């Protein structure tokens, strides 16, 4: 229960209401454990840190999320550059014939 409550604020839009149920979280975690390779135990000195399955899962999910965020940043930067270019063209008067079309597009975003 605590896990499902703790991750709820980080939800992506469009998730179904039962996505954060205790049962669903448990099944997702179980699937992660089954699909993650168990790290090899190393023989070594006492006190040596041994990587656990949980560590592997955290590292894998962190790497995936970093890649997702990089992709989102890249898309946002491209959109910003395009909007800036469009704004410059509008200010220069080169898009006067498309102003109504652009206005309608903007209004669709707002609504």
């Amino acid at each position: 229960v605590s896990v499902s409550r703790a991750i709820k604020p980080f939800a992506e839009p469009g998730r179904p209401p039962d996505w954060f149920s205790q049962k669903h979280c448990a099944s997702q975690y179980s699937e992660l454990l089954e699909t993650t390779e168990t790290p090899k135990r190393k023989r070594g000195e006492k006190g040596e840190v041994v990587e656990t399955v949980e560590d592997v899962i955290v590292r894998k999910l962190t790497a995936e999320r970093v890649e997702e965020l990089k992709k989102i940043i890249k898309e946002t930067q491209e959109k910003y550059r395009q909007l800036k270019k469009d704004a410059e063209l509008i200010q220069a008067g080169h898009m006067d014939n498309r102003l109504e079309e652009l206005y309608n597009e903007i209004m669709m975003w707002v609504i």
Side-chain angles (χ1 to χ4, degrees):
V1 176
S2 62
V3 171
S4 59
R5 276 194 214 126
I7 63 173
K8 199 167 191 167
F10 304 105
E12 296 142 359
R15 292 284 186 199
D18 67 337
W19 184 260
F20 297 101
S21 71
Q22 186 176 0
K23 183 178 178 181
H24 193 259
C25 285
S27 68
Q28 286 181 325
Y29 184 68
S30 176
E31 184 179 330
L32 277 173
L33 287 175
E34 290 173 8
T35 58
T36 303
E37 290 185 29
T38 307
K40 305 274 190 230
R41 294 224 176 238
K42 298 177 184 176
R43 290 189 170 187
E45 299 175 21
K46 288 185 178 179
E48 183 178 331
V49 178
V50 178
E51 189 174 51
T52 64
V53 175
E54 291 83 4
D55 294 334
V56 173
I57 291 172
V58 167
R59 189 174 65 249
K60 176 184 168 191
L61 293 178
T62 301
E64 287 176 7
R65 185 62 178 152
V66 166
E67 289 305 313
E68 287 174 9
L69 291 173
K70 284 180 182 179
K71 182 180 174 187
I72 291 169
I73 289 170
K74 184 177 180 184
E75 290 170 357
T76 304
Q77 287 173 335
E78 289 173 8
K79 187 171 185 172
Y80 170 78
R81 280 192 281 276
Q82 183 61 44
L83 289 172
K84 187 174 178 181
K85 180 180 171 186
D86 289 348
E88 290 170 356
L89 289 172
I90 290 170
Q91 289 175 345
H94 297 293
M95 295 185 76
D96 288 347
N97 58 340
R98 291 193 56 221
L99 284 178
E100 188 173 335
E101 179 186 334
L102 291 170
Y103 175 78
N104 291 333
E105 284 179 31
I106 291 169
M107 292 310 292
M108 286 177 27
W109 291 343
V110 173
I111 297 173

